[in-house]
Each structure stands twice: as structure tokens, then as C-alpha cells.
Amino acid sequence: MSAFYQQAKFLQSASSVNTLPPEFGNEVAFAGRSNSGKSSTLNKLCQQKSLARTSKTPGRTQLINFFGLPGDKFLVDLPGYGYAKVPEKVKLQWQQFIEIYLTQRSPLAGLVIMMDIRRPMLENDMNMLNWSNSRNLPVHVVLNKSDKLKHGQAKSALLKTQQQLKQINPDYTVQIFSALKGIGIDDLEKKLNIWFENEPN
């Protein structure tokens, strides 16, 4: 486990294009369904219990949150998709904001898409993958909550997801993860280091 990501600090939140931070350095964004464990994964990666806000109510993260790392590198927490109990008008506003960020943000080096390993590749996930592919965004899929399955079941889910991803883009990668147990931290760090062109000490 690298000490590099433990240096992450909250930088700012953005609620609109006008409130996004200046474009420089490299960014890796985290997306996923509202119950995929996105915030918990960021907290585990950075070994900070409350860096990214977690909530028992899916869809709480309504802002794009930026976390700074040394060397002008940033982790970006996007609002979850598939939100529960969110008005349609608000949902559309979030979607438009996220789309503008993912399409126009020049420092964006890659997109991590979080999924619940027990329910991967749902409609919203497929939409995000196909949309990312159409815009040539590098993608790494993280199958979270692997601690909820037996080893054989987790391996089967991984292989099935790999096959599905190949049909979308053969360069897309996928791994097993558990924010609760810390399973897969090293694999996630390796992918981030590639995107950040980074070899932390």
C-alpha cells in the first residue's frame, strides 16, 4: 500500500461548470451507481475514514469533489448515477454537469467505474461504459464488495465482466475489490499510477 495516496486532501467541490477548479495536472475520476461504495473506496485508498463523505442514503453526493495529491494530481469523486429519491429535474442537471466534465475536462487521464460485484454491468453501468467508449475515455472497472461473495463466485463475476468489457472496448480493465477488507488496493494503485504517470515512493 502506497503512502502517496494517503497524502490526499480535500480541495474543493463544484456544483457547476463555473465552479470547477482550474485545469492543470492530471485527474482520475471515480463514477458509479449510488450504492457502489465509491466514497468508501476513496477513503480506503487514501487510508482516511472521512476524506470522501459516505452516506446510508444513496445519491447524497450531488457535487463533483476534488482531492489533491502531490505533484498536481487529483482524485475526483463524481455524483452517483441511478440515484434514489431524486427529482427528475435534478437528475438531469447532474447528468449534464457530469457529461460536460467528462467530455471537456482536459486534465482527465482516466475513469474508474465502481460496481457492486453482486450486481455488475447493470443498465446504467452499460450506458456509462458505452458513453465513455464513444468519447475515447480510458476506463478501469472496480468490482467492489467482493467480501460479500465466496472466492469462486467473485472469480466467476470477474471473468464474466471481463468478457462483457471486451465487447465494448478490449483495452478496458477490471479488478476485484473490497473497500471493507482492503482487497485489491494494490491493483487499484497500479492502475492509478499508470494514469498519473507516477511511481510513488
Side-chain angles (χ1 to χ4, degrees):
M1 189 176 295
S2 170
F4 177 78
Y5 295 99
Q6 296 176 29
Q7 300 176 69
K9 295 180 179 178
F10 175 74
L11 179 66
Q12 73 175 76
S13 296
S15 58
S16 66
V17 175
N18 294 333
T19 57
L20 288 169
E23 296 189 23
F24 64 94
N26 286 330
E27 298 173 0
V28 172
F30 283 68
R33 290 177 59 85
S34 297
N35 58 354
S36 62
K38 204 162 36 66
S39 297
S40 297
T41 296
L42 283 166
N43 289 340
K44 192 68 176 181
L45 171 70
C46 301
Q47 292 296 294
Q48 300 182 42
K49 292 183 178 180
S50 57
L51 179 70
R53 288 182 58 190
T54 59
S55 172
K56 292 181 180 179
T57 304
R60 261 308 153 77
T61 305
Q62 302 179 20
L63 306 170
I64 295 182
N65 295 310
F66 290 79
F67 305 96
L69 291 163
D72 294 332
K73 297 173 174 64
F74 305 90
L75 299 171
V76 184
D77 187 10
L78 301 177
Y81 50 80
Y83 335 95
K85 299 180 180 178
V86 176
E88 193 66 27
K89 183 179 179 181
V90 175
K91 189 185 298 186
L92 288 172
Q93 290 174 344
W94 291 357
Q95 290 172 346
Q96 290 171 356
F97 182 30
I98 294 171
E99 183 170 341
I100 290 172
Y101 168 81
L102 292 174
T103 304
Q104 301 180 9
R105 190 75 178 172
S106 60
L108 184 61
L111 178 66
V112 175
I113 298 181
M114 303 292 306
M115 299 182 194
D116 186 327
I117 194 169
R118 299 166 297 177
R119 296 178 290 275
M121 305 295 276
L122 297 178
E123 182 180 358
N124 285 327
D125 300 319
M126 296 295 290
N127 290 341
M128 177 61 85
L129 287 163
N130 287 316
W131 185 90
S132 299
N133 183 50
S134 71
R135 285 155 178 79
N136 299 314
L137 269 178
V139 167
H140 181 62
V141 172
V142 172
L143 298 178
N144 193 21
K145 305 186 182 182
S146 64
D147 54 280
K148 304 291 186 183
L149 296 180
K150 294 180 180 178
H151 177 75
Q153 293 174 317
K155 189 71 178 292
S156 177
L158 174 65
L159 292 174
K160 184 177 180 180
T161 303
Q162 285 175 330
Q163 293 171 352
Q164 291 174 294
L165 284 176
K166 282 182 181 179
Q167 296 176 5
I168 299 172
N169 188 319
D171 293 328
Y172 284 179
T173 51
V174 58
Q175 69 164 98
I176 288 174
F177 193 84
S178 169
L180 181 65
K181 302 288 187 180
I183 298 167
I185 284 284
D186 290 344
D187 290 336
L188 179 55
E189 287 182 352
K190 286 177 184 177
K191 174 57 70 172
L192 296 178
N193 289 341
I194 291 170
W195 281 343
F196 281 139
E197 300 178 348
N198 188 38
E199 285 299 332
N201 296 322

Coordinates of all heavy atoms in Angstrom, one line a residue, residues 17-63:
V17 N -20.2 24.2 -13.9 CA -19.0 24.3 -14.7 C -18.2 25.5 -14.3 O -17.0 25.5 -14.2 CB -19.4 24.5 -16.2 CG1 -18.2 24.8 -17.1 CG2 -20.1 23.3 -16.8
N18 N -18.9 26.6 -13.8 CA -18.2 27.8 -13.4 C -17.5 27.6 -12.1 O -16.6 28.4 -11.8 CB -19.2 28.9 -13.3 CG -19.8 29.4 -14.6 OD1 -19.2 29.2 -15.6 ND2 -21.1 29.9 -14.6
T19 N -17.8 26.6 -11.3 CA -17.1 26.4 -10.0 C -16.1 25.3 -10.1 O -15.5 24.9 -9.0 CB -18.2 26.1 -8.9 OG1 -18.9 24.9 -9.3 CG2 -19.1 27.3 -8.7
L20 N -15.8 24.8 -11.3 CA -14.7 23.8 -11.4 C -13.4 24.4 -11.2 O -13.2 25.6 -11.6 CB -14.8 23.1 -12.8 CG -15.9 22.1 -13.1 CD1 -15.9 21.8 -14.6 CD2 -15.7 20.9 -12.3
P21 N -12.4 23.7 -10.6 CA -11.1 24.3 -10.4 C -10.4 24.5 -11.7 O -10.8 23.9 -12.7 CB -10.4 23.3 -9.5 CG -11.1 22.0 -9.8 CD -12.5 22.4 -10.0
P22 N -9.3 25.3 -11.7 CA -8.5 25.5 -13.0 C -8.0 24.2 -13.5 O -7.8 23.2 -12.7 CB -7.4 26.4 -12.5 CG -7.9 27.1 -11.3 CD -8.8 26.1 -10.6
E23 N -7.8 24.1 -14.8 CA -7.4 22.8 -15.4 C -5.9 22.8 -15.5 O -5.2 23.5 -16.3 CB -8.0 22.7 -16.9 CG -9.5 22.6 -16.9 CD -10.0 22.3 -18.2 OE1 -9.3 21.7 -19.1 OE2 -11.2 22.6 -18.5
F24 N -5.3 21.9 -14.7 CA -3.8 21.6 -14.8 C -3.6 20.3 -14.1 O -4.4 19.8 -13.4 CB -3.0 22.8 -14.1 CG -3.3 22.9 -12.6 CD1 -2.4 22.3 -11.7 CD2 -4.3 23.7 -12.1 CE1 -2.7 22.4 -10.3 CE2 -4.5 23.8 -10.8 CZ -3.7 23.2 -9.9
G25 N -2.4 19.7 -14.4 CA -2.0 18.5 -13.8 C -2.8 17.3 -14.4 O -3.2 17.4 -15.5
N26 N -3.0 16.2 -13.6 CA -3.7 15.1 -14.0 C -4.8 14.7 -13.1 O -4.6 14.8 -11.8 CB -2.8 13.8 -14.2 CG -1.9 13.9 -15.4 OD1 -2.2 14.5 -16.4 ND2 -0.7 13.4 -15.3
E27 N -5.9 14.3 -13.6 CA -7.1 13.9 -12.8 C -7.5 12.5 -13.1 O -7.5 12.1 -14.3 CB -8.3 14.8 -13.0 CG -8.0 16.3 -12.6 CD -9.1 17.2 -12.9 OE1 -10.1 16.8 -13.5 OE2 -8.9 18.4 -12.7
V28 N -8.0 11.7 -12.1 CA -8.6 10.5 -12.3 C -10.0 10.6 -11.6 O -10.0 10.9 -10.4 CB -7.8 9.3 -11.8 CG1 -8.7 8.0 -11.8 CG2 -6.6 9.1 -12.5
A29 N -11.1 10.3 -12.3 CA -12.4 10.5 -11.8 C -13.0 9.1 -11.4 O -12.7 8.1 -12.0 CB -13.3 11.1 -12.8
F30 N -13.8 9.1 -10.3 CA -14.5 7.9 -9.9 C -16.0 8.1 -10.1 O -16.6 9.0 -9.6 CB -14.2 7.6 -8.4 CG -12.8 7.1 -8.1 CD1 -11.7 7.8 -8.3 CD2 -12.7 5.8 -7.6 CE1 -10.4 7.3 -8.0 CE2 -11.4 5.3 -7.3 CZ -10.3 6.0 -7.5
A31 N -16.6 7.1 -10.8 CA -18.0 7.1 -11.1 C -18.6 5.8 -10.6 O -17.9 4.8 -10.4 CB -18.3 7.4 -12.5
G32 N -19.9 5.8 -10.6 CA -20.6 4.5 -10.2 C -22.0 4.7 -9.7 O -22.4 5.9 -9.4
R33 N -22.7 3.7 -9.6 CA -24.1 3.7 -9.0 C -24.0 4.3 -7.6 O -23.0 4.1 -6.9 CB -24.8 2.4 -9.1 CG -25.1 1.9 -10.5 CD -25.8 0.5 -10.5 NE -27.0 0.5 -9.6 CZ -28.2 0.9 -10.1 NH1 -28.3 1.3 -11.3 NH2 -29.2 0.8 -9.3
S34 N -25.1 4.8 -7.1 CA -25.1 5.4 -5.8 C -24.8 4.5 -4.7 O -24.3 4.9 -3.6 CB -26.5 6.1 -5.6 OG -26.7 7.1 -6.5
N35 N -25.0 3.2 -4.9 CA -24.7 2.2 -3.8 C -23.5 1.3 -4.1 O -23.4 0.3 -3.6 CB -26.0 1.3 -3.6 CG -26.3 0.6 -4.9 OD1 -25.8 0.8 -6.0 ND2 -27.3 -0.3 -4.8
S36 N -22.6 1.8 -5.0 CA -21.5 1.0 -5.4 C -20.3 1.1 -4.4 O -19.3 0.3 -4.5 CB -21.0 1.4 -6.8 OG -20.5 2.8 -6.7
G37 N -20.3 2.0 -3.4 CA -19.3 2.1 -2.5 C -18.1 3.0 -2.9 O -17.0 2.8 -2.6
K38 N -18.4 4.0 -3.8 CA -17.4 4.9 -4.3 C -16.7 5.7 -3.3 O -15.4 5.7 -3.3 CB -18.2 5.9 -5.3 CG -17.4 6.5 -6.4 CD -18.2 7.0 -7.5 CE -19.5 7.7 -7.0 NZ -19.4 8.9 -6.2
S39 N -17.4 6.3 -2.4 CA -16.8 7.1 -1.3 C -15.9 6.2 -0.4 O -14.8 6.6 0.0 CB -17.8 7.9 -0.5 OG -18.5 8.8 -1.4
S40 N -16.5 5.1 0.0 CA -15.7 4.1 0.8 C -14.4 3.7 0.2 O -13.4 3.5 0.9 CB -16.6 2.9 1.2 OG -17.8 3.3 1.9
T41 N -14.5 3.5 -1.1 CA -13.3 3.1 -1.8 C -12.2 4.2 -1.8 O -11.0 3.9 -1.6 CB -13.6 2.7 -3.3 OG1 -14.5 1.6 -3.3 CG2 -12.4 2.4 -4.1
L42 N -12.6 5.4 -2.0 CA -11.7 6.5 -2.0 C -11.1 6.6 -0.6 O -9.9 6.9 -0.4 CB -12.4 7.8 -2.4 CG -12.6 8.0 -3.9 CD1 -13.6 9.2 -4.1 CD2 -11.3 8.3 -4.6
N43 N -11.9 6.5 0.4 CA -11.4 6.5 1.8 C -10.4 5.4 2.1 O -9.4 5.7 2.8 CB -12.6 6.5 2.8 CG -13.4 7.7 2.8 OD1 -13.0 8.8 2.4 ND2 -14.6 7.6 3.3
K44 N -10.7 4.2 1.6 CA -9.8 3.1 1.8 C -8.5 3.3 1.1 O -7.4 3.0 1.6 CB -10.5 1.8 1.4 CG -9.7 0.5 1.8 CD -9.8 0.4 3.3 CE -9.2 -0.9 3.8 NZ -9.3 -1.1 5.3
L45 N -8.6 3.8 -0.2 CA -7.4 4.0 -1.0 C -6.5 5.0 -0.3 O -5.2 4.8 -0.3 CB -7.8 4.5 -2.3 CG -6.7 5.1 -3.2 CD1 -5.8 3.9 -3.7 CD2 -7.3 5.9 -4.4
C46 N -7.1 6.0 0.3 CA -6.3 7.1 0.9 C -6.1 6.9 2.4 O -5.5 7.8 3.1 CB -7.0 8.5 0.7 SG -7.2 8.8 -1.1
Q47 N -6.6 5.8 2.9 CA -6.5 5.5 4.4 C -6.9 6.7 5.3 O -6.3 7.0 6.2 CB -5.0 5.1 4.7 CG -4.5 3.8 4.1 CD -5.3 2.6 4.6 OE1 -5.2 2.3 5.8 NE2 -6.1 2.0 3.8
Q48 N -8.1 7.2 4.9 CA -8.7 8.3 5.6 C -10.2 8.0 5.8 O -10.9 7.9 4.8 CB -8.5 9.7 5.0 CG -7.0 10.0 4.8 CD -6.8 11.4 4.2 OE1 -7.5 12.3 4.5 NE2 -5.9 11.5 3.2
K49 N -10.7 7.9 7.0 CA -12.0 7.5 7.2 C -13.1 8.4 6.7 O -14.2 8.0 6.4 CB -12.2 7.2 8.7 CG -11.5 6.0 9.3 CD -11.8 5.8 10.7 CE -11.0 4.6 11.2 NZ -11.3 4.3 12.7
S50 N -12.8 9.7 6.6 CA -13.8 10.7 6.3 C -13.4 11.6 5.2 O -13.8 12.8 5.1 CB -14.3 11.4 7.5 OG -13.2 12.1 8.1
L51 N -12.4 11.2 4.3 CA -12.0 12.1 3.2 C -13.2 12.3 2.3 O -13.5 13.5 2.0 CB -10.8 11.4 2.5 CG -10.3 12.2 1.3 CD1 -9.6 13.5 1.8 CD2 -9.4 11.4 0.4
A52 N -13.8 11.3 1.8 CA -15.0 11.4 1.0 C -16.2 11.0 1.8 O -16.2 10.1 2.6 CB -14.9 10.4 -0.2
R53 N -17.2 11.8 1.7 CA -18.4 11.6 2.6 C -19.1 10.4 2.2 O -19.4 10.2 1.0 CB -19.3 12.9 2.4 CG -18.8 14.1 3.1 CD -19.8 15.2 3.0 NE -21.1 14.9 3.6 CZ -22.2 15.6 3.4 NH1 -22.2 16.7 2.7 NH2 -23.4 15.2 4.0
T54 N -19.4 9.6 3.1 CA -20.3 8.4 2.9 C -21.6 8.6 3.5 O -21.8 9.4 4.5 CB -19.6 7.1 3.5 OG1 -19.4 7.3 4.9 CG2 -18.2 6.9 2.9
S55 N -22.6 7.9 3.0 CA -24.0 8.1 3.5 C -24.7 6.8 3.3 O -24.5 6.1 2.4 CB -24.7 9.2 2.7 OG -26.0 9.3 3.1
K56 N -25.6 6.5 4.2 CA -26.5 5.4 4.1 C -27.6 5.7 3.1 O -28.3 4.8 2.7 CB -27.1 5.0 5.5 CG -26.1 4.5 6.5 CD -26.7 4.1 7.8 CE -25.6 3.6 8.7 NZ -26.2 3.2 10.1
T57 N -27.8 6.9 2.7 CA -28.8 7.3 1.7 C -28.1 7.5 0.4 O -27.4 8.4 0.1 CB -29.5 8.6 2.1 OG1 -30.0 8.5 3.4 CG2 -30.6 8.9 1.1
P58 N -28.4 6.5 -0.6 CA -27.8 6.6 -1.9 C -28.1 8.0 -2.6 O -29.2 8.5 -2.5 CB -28.4 5.5 -2.7 CG -28.8 4.5 -1.6 CD -29.2 5.3 -0.5
G59 N -27.1 8.5 -3.3 CA -27.4 9.7 -4.1 C -27.1 11.0 -3.3 O -27.5 12.1 -3.7
R60 N -26.5 10.9 -2.1 CA -26.2 12.1 -1.3 C -25.2 13.0 -2.0 O -25.2 14.2 -1.8 CB -25.7 11.7 0.1 CG -26.6 11.7 1.2 CD -27.4 12.9 1.4 NE -28.7 12.6 2.1 CZ -28.8 12.3 3.3 NH1 -27.7 12.3 4.1 NH2 -30.0 12.0 3.8
T61 N -24.2 12.4 -2.7 CA -23.1 13.2 -3.3 C -23.6 13.9 -4.5 O -23.8 13.2 -5.6 CB -21.9 12.3 -3.6 OG1 -21.5 11.6 -2.4 CG2 -20.7 13.1 -4.1
Q62 N -24.0 15.2 -4.4 CA -24.6 15.9 -5.5 C -23.5 16.8 -6.2 O -23.9 17.5 -7.1 CB -25.8 16.7 -5.1 CG -26.8 15.8 -4.4 CD -28.0 16.6 -4.0 OE1 -28.2 17.7 -4.4 NE2 -28.8 16.0 -3.1
L63 N -22.3 16.8 -5.7 CA -21.3 17.7 -6.2 C -20.1 16.9 -6.8 O -20.0 15.7 -6.5 CB -20.7 18.6 -5.0 CG -21.8 19.4 -4.2 CD1 -21.1 20.0 -3.0 CD2 -22.4 20.5 -5.1

